Amino acid sequence: MIVEMRTGASRKEVDVVVQKAKSLDLGVQLNIGTDKTVVALLGSNTGQIPTDIFAVLPGVESVTRIMKPYKLASREFERKDTVVDCGGVKIGGQRVVIIAGPCAVESEKQLRQAAEGVKKAGATILRGGAFKPRTSPFSFQGLQKKGLELLAAVKKDVDIPVVTEVVNPQDVALVSSYADMLQIGSRNMQNFALLTDAGKSGRPVVLKRGFSCTITEWLTAADYLLAEGEKQVVLCERGIRTFEDSVRFSLDISAVPVIKRNSHLPVIVDPSHAAGHYSLVPAMARAAVAAGADGLLIEVHPNPKEALVDGLQSLSPSDFSRLMEELRTIAKSVGRYI
Ligand code: PEP
Ligand code: MN
């Protein structure tokens, strides 16, 4: 249930609403805007509580039931678009933010070359995996702590913020001490312990869509982060599993306008994991920008043929640079820039 306070409602009036909610054993999240305060009432029993109990209180403008299972990620809770700050780069504004880098951090030389290449082409955030969630336990799991150290060194030398994945709740503090933004991967979208800890980290989080999850489940997972007080959440569409087997995953472009309609959170698109093949990445990246994505996450490797992970879907720096030129034209035609 969402209680919208009148413009200029006093703090005392807001407190009365909060006290009432607490007396009914409801959780409360306050959204104090410049002109308006919105109070989200959380709990499994809100359906049984009459809205009038709140509507009659002084200073209350309206009370809306949210039938959707997600609340804090909803447009009803926050009408204004959220803008996320990743090391000074704003995601969710006019600029389409390009995040690029290798799937896995492999060596200092590989990461440095990737970082320099993507920055030169116009990417503003570097991504590289230090901890890799692999389908098989026998696959390369990433350089882990050593990978984080390399990310920190390259971030400083190349002067670019970094995002990297965290796969375990117990690694959240460690990864947060190196990264400007945490990534939660597709396989962990519903790892609720991980979401809860990442939500307390104080770092922005990019939450990838589970490849078998609906948009509603994805937004409800985002609520786990937001419920911890984390406001800086970016959603990332990366393809879903369908009957189609000519691509690695089917890129759900419709997720972009659906998220824009139903949520205030920025949404970016990862065409690389959906495509599974470098030759398909540019078209899917262009489609995402045309559809209104706030950013892209693209795998780029200085030498894709030698990559330890996801080489087939990685672009070379020169292919990436060519794609960036095309994306600039598309961004301009939809009133954005890169
Ligand atoms: C990745 O970003 O390298 C990755 C493993 O992606 P996903 O979680 O979307 O599969
Ligand atoms: Mn990858």
PDB file of all heavy atoms in Angstrom, residues 103 127 132-133 165 183-187 208-209 211 238 248-249 270 273 297 299 310 313, ligand 1:
ATOM      1  N   CYS A 103      34.977 -10.362 -19.913  1.00  0.00           N
ATOM      2  CA  CYS A 103      34.138 -11.163 -19.026  1.00  0.00           C
ATOM      3  C   CYS A 103      34.884 -11.414 -17.721  1.00  0.00           C
ATOM      4  O   CYS A 103      34.366 -11.150 -16.646  1.00  0.00           O
ATOM      5  CB  CYS A 103      33.788 -12.491 -19.706  1.00  0.00           C
ATOM      6  SG  CYS A 103      32.704 -13.490 -18.694  1.00  0.00           S
ATOM      7  N   ARG A 127      34.197  -2.896 -16.853  1.00  0.00           N
ATOM      8  CA  ARG A 127      33.683  -4.053 -16.147  1.00  0.00           C
ATOM      9  C   ARG A 127      34.610  -5.239 -16.388  1.00  0.00           C
ATOM     10  O   ARG A 127      35.070  -5.476 -17.504  1.00  0.00           O
ATOM     11  CB  ARG A 127      32.288  -4.422 -16.619  1.00  0.00           C
ATOM     12  CG  ARG A 127      31.609  -5.387 -15.655  1.00  0.00           C
ATOM     13  CD  ARG A 127      30.563  -6.217 -16.328  1.00  0.00           C
ATOM     14  NE  ARG A 127      31.177  -7.139 -17.247  1.00  0.00           N
ATOM     15  CZ  ARG A 127      30.840  -8.419 -17.333  1.00  0.00           C
ATOM     16  NH1 ARG A 127      29.924  -8.916 -16.556  1.00  0.00           N
ATOM     17  NH2 ARG A 127      31.433  -9.201 -18.206  1.00  0.00           N
ATOM     18  N   LYS A 132      33.818 -15.347 -10.879  1.00  0.00           N
ATOM     19  CA  LYS A 132      32.925 -15.726 -11.977  1.00  0.00           C
ATOM     20  C   LYS A 132      31.970 -16.837 -11.534  1.00  0.00           C
ATOM     21  O   LYS A 132      32.414 -17.868 -11.034  1.00  0.00           O
ATOM     22  CB  LYS A 132      33.738 -16.254 -13.177  1.00  0.00           C
ATOM     23  CG  LYS A 132      34.630 -15.238 -13.866  1.00  0.00           C
ATOM     24  CD  LYS A 132      33.908 -13.972 -14.306  1.00  0.00           C
ATOM     25  CE  LYS A 132      32.757 -14.194 -15.268  1.00  0.00           C
ATOM     26  NZ  LYS A 132      32.061 -12.897 -15.564  1.00  0.00           N
ATOM     27  N   PRO A 133      30.658 -16.635 -11.725  1.00  0.00           N
ATOM     28  CA  PRO A 133      29.718 -17.715 -11.406  1.00  0.00           C
ATOM     29  C   PRO A 133      29.671 -18.663 -12.604  1.00  0.00           C
ATOM     30  O   PRO A 133      29.093 -18.323 -13.630  1.00  0.00           O
ATOM     31  CB  PRO A 133      28.394 -16.956 -11.253  1.00  0.00           C
ATOM     32  CG  PRO A 133      28.551 -15.740 -12.134  1.00  0.00           C
ATOM     33  CD  PRO A 133      30.004 -15.456 -12.288  1.00  0.00           C
ATOM     34  N   GLU A 165      31.503  -8.363 -10.366  1.00  0.00           N
ATOM     35  CA  GLU A 165      30.454  -9.206  -9.788  1.00  0.00           C
ATOM     36  C   GLU A 165      30.815  -9.723  -8.392  1.00  0.00           C
ATOM     37  O   GLU A 165      31.969 -10.027  -8.108  1.00  0.00           O
ATOM     38  CB  GLU A 165      30.199 -10.398 -10.735  1.00  0.00           C
ATOM     39  CG  GLU A 165      29.110 -11.312 -10.223  1.00  0.00           C
ATOM     40  CD  GLU A 165      28.463 -12.170 -11.303  1.00  0.00           C
ATOM     41  OE1 GLU A 165      28.772 -12.010 -12.496  1.00  0.00           O
ATOM     42  OE2 GLU A 165      27.638 -13.028 -10.923  1.00  0.00           O
ATOM     43  N   GLN A 183      28.047  -5.984  -9.201  1.00  0.00           N
ATOM     44  CA  GLN A 183      27.130  -6.661 -10.137  1.00  0.00           C
ATOM     45  C   GLN A 183      26.594  -7.916  -9.454  1.00  0.00           C
ATOM     46  O   GLN A 183      27.343  -8.660  -8.833  1.00  0.00           O
ATOM     47  CB  GLN A 183      27.885  -7.041 -11.417  1.00  0.00           C
ATOM     48  CG  GLN A 183      27.052  -7.886 -12.380  1.00  0.00           C
ATOM     49  CD  GLN A 183      27.814  -8.224 -13.673  1.00  0.00           C
ATOM     50  OE1 GLN A 183      28.539  -7.397 -14.208  1.00  0.00           O
ATOM     51  NE2 GLN A 183      27.659  -9.439 -14.145  1.00  0.00           N
ATOM     52  N   ILE A 184      25.289  -8.119  -9.575  1.00  0.00           N
ATOM     53  CA  ILE A 184      24.706  -9.405  -9.159  1.00  0.00           C
ATOM     54  C   ILE A 184      24.263 -10.086 -10.438  1.00  0.00           C
ATOM     55  O   ILE A 184      23.504  -9.527 -11.235  1.00  0.00           O
ATOM     56  CB  ILE A 184      23.565  -9.203  -8.153  1.00  0.00           C
ATOM     57  CG1 ILE A 184      24.188  -8.639  -6.865  1.00  0.00           C
ATOM     58  CG2 ILE A 184      22.822 -10.528  -7.890  1.00  0.00           C
ATOM     59  CD1 ILE A 184      23.328  -8.599  -5.672  1.00  0.00           C
ATOM     60  N   GLY A 185      24.785 -11.280 -10.666  1.00  0.00           N
ATOM     61  CA  GLY A 185      24.593 -11.959 -11.939  1.00  0.00           C
ATOM     62  C   GLY A 185      23.242 -12.638 -12.045  1.00  0.00           C
ATOM     63  O   GLY A 185      22.498 -12.791 -11.066  1.00  0.00           O
ATOM     64  N   SER A 186      22.967 -13.050 -13.272  1.00  0.00           N
ATOM     65  CA  SER A 186      21.689 -13.669 -13.602  1.00  0.00           C
ATOM     66  C   SER A 186      21.375 -14.865 -12.699  1.00  0.00           C
ATOM     67  O   SER A 186      20.259 -15.031 -12.219  1.00  0.00           O
ATOM     68  CB  SER A 186      21.782 -14.122 -15.064  1.00  0.00           C
ATOM     69  OG  SER A 186      20.560 -14.547 -15.513  1.00  0.00           O
ATOM     70  N   ARG A 187      22.405 -15.683 -12.467  1.00  0.00           N
ATOM     71  CA  ARG A 187      22.197 -16.899 -11.664  1.00  0.00           C
ATOM     72  C   ARG A 187      21.939 -16.589 -10.198  1.00  0.00           C
ATOM     73  O   ARG A 187      21.521 -17.454  -9.442  1.00  0.00           O
ATOM     74  CB  ARG A 187      23.405 -17.833 -11.815  1.00  0.00           C
ATOM     75  CG  ARG A 187      23.445 -18.499 -13.163  1.00  0.00           C
ATOM     76  CD  ARG A 187      24.856 -18.888 -13.596  1.00  0.00           C
ATOM     77  NE  ARG A 187      24.850 -19.239 -15.014  1.00  0.00           N
ATOM     78  CZ  ARG A 187      24.903 -18.332 -16.004  1.00  0.00           C
ATOM     79  NH1 ARG A 187      24.983 -17.043 -15.728  1.00  0.00           N
ATOM     80  NH2 ARG A 187      24.868 -18.724 -17.252  1.00  0.00           N
ATOM     81  N   LYS A 208      21.313  -8.075 -12.594  1.00  0.00           N
ATOM     82  CA  LYS A 208      20.975  -8.692 -13.873  1.00  0.00           C
ATOM     83  C   LYS A 208      19.703  -9.533 -13.723  1.00  0.00           C
ATOM     84  O   LYS A 208      19.446 -10.100 -12.660  1.00  0.00           O
ATOM     85  CB  LYS A 208      22.153  -9.536 -14.371  1.00  0.00           C
ATOM     86  CG  LYS A 208      23.369  -8.659 -14.695  1.00  0.00           C
ATOM     87  CD  LYS A 208      24.482  -9.427 -15.352  1.00  0.00           C
ATOM     88  CE  LYS A 208      24.520  -9.161 -16.820  1.00  0.00           C
ATOM     89  NZ  LYS A 208      25.609  -9.910 -17.490  1.00  0.00           N
ATOM     90  N   ARG A 209      18.969  -9.604 -14.803  1.00  0.00           N
ATOM     91  CA  ARG A 209      17.719 -10.369 -14.770  1.00  0.00           C
ATOM     92  C   ARG A 209      18.034 -11.862 -14.798  1.00  0.00           C
ATOM     93  O   ARG A 209      18.838 -12.319 -15.623  1.00  0.00           O
ATOM     94  CB  ARG A 209      16.886 -10.005 -15.990  1.00  0.00           C
ATOM     95  CG  ARG A 209      15.589 -10.773 -16.085  1.00  0.00           C
ATOM     96  CD  ARG A 209      14.827 -10.331 -17.304  1.00  0.00           C
ATOM     97  NE  ARG A 209      13.561 -11.028 -17.418  1.00  0.00           N
ATOM     98  CZ  ARG A 209      12.690 -10.822 -18.401  1.00  0.00           C
ATOM     99  NH1 ARG A 209      12.969  -9.932 -19.339  1.00  0.00           N
ATOM    100  NH2 ARG A 209      11.567 -11.501 -18.449  1.00  0.00           N
ATOM    101  N   PHE A 211      17.734 -15.514 -15.934  1.00  0.00           N
ATOM    102  CA  PHE A 211      17.370 -15.848 -17.323  1.00  0.00           C
ATOM    103  C   PHE A 211      16.071 -16.646 -17.429  1.00  0.00           C
ATOM    104  O   PHE A 211      15.566 -16.848 -18.531  1.00  0.00           O
ATOM    105  CB  PHE A 211      18.525 -16.496 -18.092  1.00  0.00           C
ATOM    106  CG  PHE A 211      19.160 -17.695 -17.451  1.00  0.00           C
ATOM    107  CD1 PHE A 211      18.507 -18.899 -17.375  1.00  0.00           C
ATOM    108  CD2 PHE A 211      20.454 -17.604 -16.944  1.00  0.00           C
ATOM    109  CE1 PHE A 211      19.104 -20.002 -16.796  1.00  0.00           C
ATOM    110  CE2 PHE A 211      21.073 -18.692 -16.370  1.00  0.00           C
ATOM    111  CZ  PHE A 211      20.390 -19.898 -16.291  1.00  0.00           C
ATOM    112  N   ARG A 238      19.571  -9.133 -19.833  1.00  0.00           N
ATOM    113  CA  ARG A 238      20.685  -9.854 -20.453  1.00  0.00           C
ATOM    114  C   ARG A 238      20.234 -11.084 -21.233  1.00  0.00           C
ATOM    115  O   ARG A 238      21.036 -11.949 -21.565  1.00  0.00           O
ATOM    116  CB  ARG A 238      21.738 -10.211 -19.401  1.00  0.00           C
ATOM    117  CG  ARG A 238      21.196 -10.816 -18.144  1.00  0.00           C
ATOM    118  CD  ARG A 238      20.797 -12.260 -18.239  1.00  0.00           C
ATOM    119  NE  ARG A 238      21.967 -13.117 -18.313  1.00  0.00           N
ATOM    120  CZ  ARG A 238      22.006 -14.285 -18.920  1.00  0.00           C
ATOM    121  NH1 ARG A 238      20.891 -14.769 -19.492  1.00  0.00           N
ATOM    122  NH2 ARG A 238      23.099 -15.026 -18.964  1.00  0.00           N
ATOM    123  N   ARG A 248      22.287 -17.449 -27.727  1.00  0.00           N
ATOM    124  CA  ARG A 248      22.516 -18.037 -26.397  1.00  0.00           C
ATOM    125  C   ARG A 248      21.286 -17.826 -25.502  1.00  0.00           C
ATOM    126  O   ARG A 248      20.858 -18.727 -24.790  1.00  0.00           O
ATOM    127  CB  ARG A 248      23.766 -17.369 -25.797  1.00  0.00           C
ATOM    128  CG  ARG A 248      24.292 -18.052 -24.574  1.00  0.00           C
ATOM    129  CD  ARG A 248      25.628 -17.439 -24.161  1.00  0.00           C
ATOM    130  NE  ARG A 248      26.097 -18.034 -22.929  1.00  0.00           N
ATOM    131  CZ  ARG A 248      27.082 -17.544 -22.182  1.00  0.00           C
ATOM    132  NH1 ARG A 248      27.721 -16.464 -22.556  1.00  0.00           N
ATOM    133  NH2 ARG A 248      27.437 -18.148 -21.076  1.00  0.00           N
ATOM    134  N   PHE A 249      20.762 -16.624 -25.520  1.00  0.00           N
ATOM    135  CA  PHE A 249      19.510 -16.297 -24.815  1.00  0.00           C
ATOM    136  C   PHE A 249      18.722 -15.339 -25.712  1.00  0.00           C
ATOM    137  O   PHE A 249      19.318 -14.652 -26.541  1.00  0.00           O
ATOM    138  CB  PHE A 249      19.794 -15.610 -23.467  1.00  0.00           C
ATOM    139  CG  PHE A 249      20.491 -16.497 -22.472  1.00  0.00           C
ATOM    140  CD1 PHE A 249      21.879 -16.502 -22.381  1.00  0.00           C
ATOM    141  CD2 PHE A 249      19.772 -17.337 -21.635  1.00  0.00           C
ATOM    142  CE1 PHE A 249      22.535 -17.332 -21.478  1.00  0.00           C
ATOM    143  CE2 PHE A 249      20.415 -18.173 -20.724  1.00  0.00           C
ATOM    144  CZ  PHE A 249      21.802 -18.166 -20.644  1.00  0.00           C
ATOM    145  N   ASP A 270      22.534  -5.866 -21.698  1.00  0.00           N
ATOM    146  CA  ASP A 270      23.764  -6.602 -21.995  1.00  0.00           C
ATOM    147  C   ASP A 270      23.488  -7.448 -23.244  1.00  0.00           C
ATOM    148  O   ASP A 270      22.858  -8.501 -23.156  1.00  0.00           O
ATOM    149  CB  ASP A 270      24.099  -7.489 -20.781  1.00  0.00           C
ATOM    150  CG  ASP A 270      25.161  -8.542 -21.075  1.00  0.00           C
ATOM    151  OD1 ASP A 270      25.625  -8.661 -22.228  1.00  0.00           O
ATOM    152  OD2 ASP A 270      25.522  -9.274 -20.129  1.00  0.00           O
ATOM    153  N   HIS A 273      25.772 -11.361 -23.578  1.00  0.00           N
ATOM    154  CA  HIS A 273      25.349 -12.670 -23.054  1.00  0.00           C
ATOM    155  C   HIS A 273      24.114 -13.194 -23.760  1.00  0.00           C
ATOM    156  O   HIS A 273      23.879 -14.395 -23.799  1.00  0.00           O
ATOM    157  CB  HIS A 273      25.166 -12.627 -21.536  1.00  0.00           C
ATOM    158  CG  HIS A 273      26.484 -12.534 -20.833  1.00  0.00           C
ATOM    159  ND1 HIS A 273      27.117 -11.333 -20.624  1.00  0.00           N
ATOM    160  CD2 HIS A 273      27.324 -13.497 -20.380  1.00  0.00           C
ATOM    161  CE1 HIS A 273      28.281 -11.554 -20.040  1.00  0.00           C
ATOM    162  NE2 HIS A 273      28.446 -12.860 -19.876  1.00  0.00           N
ATOM    163  N   LEU A 297      25.980  -2.924 -21.437  1.00  0.00           N
ATOM    164  CA  LEU A 297      27.101  -3.621 -20.810  1.00  0.00           C
ATOM    165  C   LEU A 297      27.620  -4.582 -21.888  1.00  0.00           C
ATOM    166  O   LEU A 297      26.890  -5.491 -22.303  1.00  0.00           O
ATOM    167  CB  LEU A 297      26.569  -4.375 -19.590  1.00  0.00           C
ATOM    168  CG  LEU A 297      27.536  -4.914 -18.568  1.00  0.00           C
ATOM    169  CD1 LEU A 297      26.775  -5.217 -17.282  1.00  0.00           C
ATOM    170  CD2 LEU A 297      28.222  -6.163 -19.048  1.00  0.00           C
ATOM    171  N   GLU A 299      30.781  -6.982 -23.601  1.00  0.00           N
ATOM    172  CA  GLU A 299      32.060  -7.659 -23.358  1.00  0.00           C
ATOM    173  C   GLU A 299      33.056  -7.346 -24.470  1.00  0.00           C
ATOM    174  O   GLU A 299      32.778  -7.554 -25.659  1.00  0.00           O
ATOM    175  CB  GLU A 299      31.830  -9.165 -23.215  1.00  0.00           C
ATOM    176  CG  GLU A 299      31.179  -9.453 -21.860  1.00  0.00           C
ATOM    177  CD  GLU A 299      31.141 -10.891 -21.426  1.00  0.00           C
ATOM    178  OE1 GLU A 299      31.244 -11.789 -22.286  1.00  0.00           O
ATOM    179  OE2 GLU A 299      30.986 -11.127 -20.215  1.00  0.00           O
ATOM    180  N   ASP A 310      34.036 -16.606 -22.385  1.00  0.00           N
ATOM    181  CA  ASP A 310      33.152 -15.836 -23.270  1.00  0.00           C
ATOM    182  C   ASP A 310      33.854 -15.128 -24.433  1.00  0.00           C
ATOM    183  O   ASP A 310      33.420 -14.043 -24.859  1.00  0.00           O
ATOM    184  CB  ASP A 310      32.322 -14.814 -22.453  1.00  0.00           C
ATOM    185  CG  ASP A 310      31.199 -15.495 -21.664  1.00  0.00           C
ATOM    186  OD1 ASP A 310      30.924 -16.685 -21.925  1.00  0.00           O
ATOM    187  OD2 ASP A 310      30.603 -14.834 -20.788  1.00  0.00           O
ATOM    188  N   GLN A 313      31.708 -14.307 -27.724  1.00  0.00           N
ATOM    189  CA  GLN A 313      30.760 -13.190 -27.726  1.00  0.00           C
ATOM    190  C   GLN A 313      31.445 -11.840 -27.460  1.00  0.00           C
ATOM    191  O   GLN A 313      30.765 -10.802 -27.397  1.00  0.00           O
ATOM    192  CB  GLN A 313      29.659 -13.417 -26.685  1.00  0.00           C
ATOM    193  CG  GLN A 313      30.139 -13.338 -25.237  1.00  0.00           C
ATOM    194  CD  GLN A 313      29.148 -13.912 -24.262  1.00  0.00           C
ATOM    195  OE1 GLN A 313      28.412 -14.851 -24.560  1.00  0.00           O
ATOM    196  NE2 GLN A 313      29.095 -13.348 -23.061  1.00  0.00           N
TER     197      GLN A 313
HETATM  198  C1  PEP B   1      28.752 -11.884 -16.851  1.00  0.00           C
HETATM  199  O1  PEP B   1      28.307 -10.720 -16.760  1.00  0.00           O
HETATM  200  O2  PEP B   1      29.890 -12.143 -17.249  1.00  0.00           O
HETATM  201  C2  PEP B   1      27.805 -12.970 -16.560  1.00  0.00           C
HETATM  202  C3  PEP B   1      28.213 -14.132 -16.090  1.00  0.00           C
HETATM  203  O3  PEP B   1      26.558 -12.609 -16.889  1.00  0.00           O
HETATM  204  P1  PEP B   1      25.153 -13.264 -16.505  1.00  0.00           P
HETATM  205  O4  PEP B   1      25.098 -13.246 -15.014  1.00  0.00           O
HETATM  206  O5  PEP B   1      24.170 -12.346 -17.156  1.00  0.00           O
HETATM  207  O6  PEP B   1      25.130 -14.644 -17.101  1.00  0.00           O
END
